[in-house]
Amino acid sequence: MFNTESSISPSLALRPRRWASWLAAASVAILAPTVEASQSMACNGSLVSKGDSPVSLLQKCGEPIYRQGVCVSMLQLGWVVTPYRAGSPSAILANQCVPMDEWTYNRGPGAFFGIVRIHNGVIESVRDGDRNK
């Protein structure tokens, strides 16, 4: 028979807590792509979402009502090498303008405008704009 009172070591007693924290982290990792995948727009019975090509967007939704180039500020990691300074290069974070295209779609009266941001030939994001009057 097993002696359950004295045979459990302290490290084994912590395992349920470790499993619970591991399961919580795993569930967040599993649900994160679901939230990301919800960035989509319906056009003529088809969905356009992040990662699709602009050609697919044009086939499914047609021409946008407005196209514009935007500068999206993103933090970039850079290295500064200073001559005559001992030691290794210094790392800095700096905001940098990343050029992207934004296409605006009219989804009809009373609906929100659909705004699709395109970067490097791929849809980077899909979001709702102002409500159409």
Side-chain angles (χ1 to χ4, degrees), residues 8-20:
I8 297 177
S9 69
S11 64
L12 290 177
L14 294 177
R15 283 191 182 173
R17 289 184 192 157
R18 288 182 186 159
W19 276 102

Side-chain angles (χ1 to χ4, degrees), residues 3 13 20 25 29 33 42 48 73-74 79 86 90 92 94 98 100 106-107 114 129:
N3 184 356
V48 175
S73 181
M74 291 188 178
W79 298 97
S90 300
I92 61 165
V98 178
M100 297 187 190
N106 184 351
R107 297 193 226 171

Side-chain angles (χ1 to χ4, degrees), residues 3 5 9-10 12 19 47 52-53 59-60 62 64 67 71 75 82 89 92 94 101 106 109 115 122 126 129:
N3 184 356
E5 293 177 14
S9 69
L12 290 177
W19 276 102
L47 283 179
D52 289 350
S53 71
Q59 287 175 343
K60 294 175 183 177
R67 291 184 191 205
C71 175
L75 278 177
T82 308
I92 61 165
D101 292 325
N106 184 351
I115 301 174
V122 175
V126 179

Side-chain angles (χ1 to χ4, degrees), residues 41-44 46 48 56-64 105:
M41 182 173 68
C43 293
N44 303 320
S46 298
V48 175
S56 173
L57 174 63
L58 287 171
Q59 287 175 343
K60 294 175 183 177
C61 300
E63 284 291 325
Y105 285 89

Side-chain angles (χ1 to χ4, degrees), residues 9 30 36-37 39 42-43 45 50 53 57 62 68 70 77 88 91 102 104 125 129 133:
S9 69
I30 290 169
E36 198 172 279
Q39 289 188 349
C43 293
K50 182 176 178 176
S53 71
L57 174 63
Q68 70 177 357
V70 295
L77 177 64
S88 61
E102 276 190 355
T104 303
S125 67
K133 296 177 183 176

